[in-house]
Amino acid sequence: MKRGERRQSQRTEIVLPVEHEKGRGWTRNVSGTGAYFVSEQRFAAGAHIKFILPLRHADPERVVRVTYEGDVVRVDERAGRFGVAVAITSYRMKDDDSGIPN
């Protein structure tokens, strides 16, 4: 781990679509304990959040939706968009198209 680095696990730089309670966005990186995504909607540091990463399966007719919950640890504003860093507290996988959980 680099000096000053607070992440608990290695992140993977990847762009994936994100669905969240306020709209949509895209990831910049994801790890086993956190995620960073960009959105046009503002979030507050400390807020609890739910978001979904729809992942393609080997079967092109199937999409696996991974629903994450976590706490917003940082929000960066740049050019009218917001970078949202989330510490993941739980996740679950589902094979359907049920959308954002309430």
Side-chain angles (χ1 to χ4, degrees), residues 4-102:
E5 181 69 57
R6 291 181 289 173
R7 290 179 186 88
Q8 295 177 359
S9 60
Q10 184 175 354
R11 62 185 168 173
T12 300
E13 303 289 329
I14 188 165
V15 177
L16 297 169
V18 174
E19 300 170 11
H20 53 75
E21 297 137 325
K22 296 182 179 187
R24 297 180 185 273
W26 61 93
T27 63
R28 285 195 32 211
N29 61 64
V30 178
S31 76
T33 59
Y36 186 90
F37 66 85
V38 177
S39 176
E40 293 183 355
Q41 291 76 31
R42 181 186 304 267
F43 289 86
H48 190 75
I49 184 175
K50 295 179 184 179
F51 63 98
I52 293 174
L53 298 181
L55 305 175
R56 294 267 173 235
H57 189 272
D59 174 353
E61 299 293 317
R62 186 172 161 205
V63 174
V64 176
R65 299 170 60 79
V66 184
T67 301
Y68 294 90
E69 291 194 43
D71 300 310
V72 176
V73 295
R74 186 179 83 248
V75 178
D76 305 318
E77 184 174 359
R78 187 177 298 154
R81 294 192 175 121
F82 302 93
V84 183
V86 180
I88 295 170
T89 57
S90 67
Y91 71 92
R92 66 183 182 279
M93 294 180 163
K94 199 166 189 178
D95 272 340
D96 71 10
D97 225 2
S98 60
I100 296 288
N102 292 322

